[in-house]
Amino acid sequence: MYAPERQQEILRLARDGGRVDVVSLAEQFQVTAETIRRDLKALDRAGLVRRVHGGAIPAGRLDFEPDLAERETTAADEKDSIAKAALAELPGEGTVILDAGTTVAKMAAALPLESSLTVVTHSLPIAARLADHPGIQLHLIGGRVRHRTRAAVDAWALRAYGEIRADVLFVAANGFSAEHGLTTPDLAEAAVKRAAVAAARRVVLLADSSKHGQEHFARFGDLSDVDLLITDSGLSPEDAVAIERGGTEVVRA
């Protein structure tokens, strides 16, 4: 099968199923994952699909959002490296906000037992991980819980973040770029993330490199709002330099 024929079939599968993933496509067409990534890149450039974590969605589906289980298994090694590097950004003592996100959750799970911090989060999975930590004073932000992310949103959460000031926020995003800023598929989640950014003196973005250049429905900030981006080596040195020109420090873990 020639590349244009394969790409046409990939486009049909994406439109029929709402999304496609690299691993399944590679198996179906009996080609390498890198070949599929090139196909998706070509379709993305043509404006026919938008690349997302591990695959692609039809153009126009900026509201697509994978569920929590799927996100936990996507770029797992990269997220582990990012989470480990993020630990170095914790203050010796003080208050941190942990946003809802699988990479942030990995960081929470890796907090050393000797940590002595006040932690604020609106993520139920993160709160569950830290509830028994001996050195953590845990504050759980309330609100309506979104089933897809297990995160509290809406007025209660927004009001709570408006009443605090934290030393550091570790925030997640579904997409980030200098052009489109920080984005996520859901407006309610975007509002809470925006409130958390406003509540912190320092903002650290934890995002694997596949999210670079991605654009989703709800925008919650500029990349310049981020003091430090911790990502993986998949982000090219050239892209890292371009981001740093905008005032955001970059660590490629």
Side-chain angles (χ1 to χ4, degrees):
M1 179 180 288
Y2 293 109
E5 296 174 305
R6 186 175 57 248
Q7 290 166 13
Q8 187 64 36
E9 181 63 12
I10 289 171
L11 179 58
R12 184 190 66 78
L13 292 169
R15 287 173 173 170
D16 289 348
R19 76 161 291 153
V20 289
D21 69 88
V22 171
V23 173
S24 297
L25 290 174
E27 292 177 353
Q28 179 171 343
F29 292 107
Q30 296 185 332
V31 295
T32 65
E34 186 55 39
T35 295
I36 295 298
R37 291 189 186 97
R38 286 196 296 269
D39 288 336
L40 296 180
K41 186 175 182 179
L43 291 169
D44 183 272
R45 283 200 304 264
L48 298 171
V49 303
R50 286 196 179 272
R51 297 170 71 188
V52 296
H53 316 312
I57 60 175
R61 290 283 312 280
L62 293 185
D63 59 341
F64 175 79
E65 185 176 16
D67 62 25
L68 194 59
E70 181 178 350
R71 288 188 291 119
E72 285 178 341
T73 59
T74 300
D77 292 340
E78 290 84 351
K79 290 177 180 179
D80 285 339
S81 298
I82 293 167
K84 182 177 179 181
L87 295 176
E89 301 303 319
L90 288 168
E93 57 183 22
T95 302
V96 301
I97 299 172
L98 298 183
D99 182 28
T102 53
T103 308
V104 182
K106 284 178 177 286
M107 175 195 174
L111 285 177
L113 288 178
E114 62 270 20
S115 295
S116 180
L117 295 165
T118 297
V119 173
V120 181
T121 186
H122 58 283
S123 164
L124 293 185
I126 290 176
R129 290 173 188 259
L130 295 179
D132 294 325
H133 192 294
I136 298 298
Q137 294 292 322
L138 179 64
H139 295 260
L140 176 60
I141 299 289
R144 176 177 65 87
V145 176
R146 291 193 68 228
H147 295 300
R148 201 159 195 84
T149 59
R150 310 296 193 272
V153 296
D154 293 345
W156 285 0
L158 297 176
R159 185 164 59 249
Y161 276 127
E163 294 174 351
I164 68 169
R165 190 71 173 153
D167 295 300
V168 187
L169 161 67
F170 293 90
V171 67
N174 295 74
F176 69 93
S177 69
E179 182 180 4
H180 301 298
L182 310 172
T183 59
T184 194
D186 184 76
L187 285 169
E189 294 231 20
V192 175
K193 289 175 183 288
R194 191 178 303 114
V197 168
R201 297 182 182 89
R202 177 172 167 81
V203 178
V204 179
L205 173 63
L206 307 185
D208 66 80
S209 60
S210 70
K211 299 177 182 178
H212 180 240
Q214 297 299 319
E215 179 187 3
H216 291 267
F217 177 62
R219 190 172 182 276
F220 63 92
D222 294 319
L223 195 53
S224 59
D225 294 329
V226 174
D227 297 289
L228 170 65
L229 163 65
I230 303 180
T231 186
D232 57 82
S233 58
L235 183 74
S236 71
E238 295 77 15
D239 286 334
V241 169
I243 290 171
E244 289 190 322
R245 286 197 194 105
T248 300
E249 183 185 353
V250 178
V251 169
R252 297 162 67 240

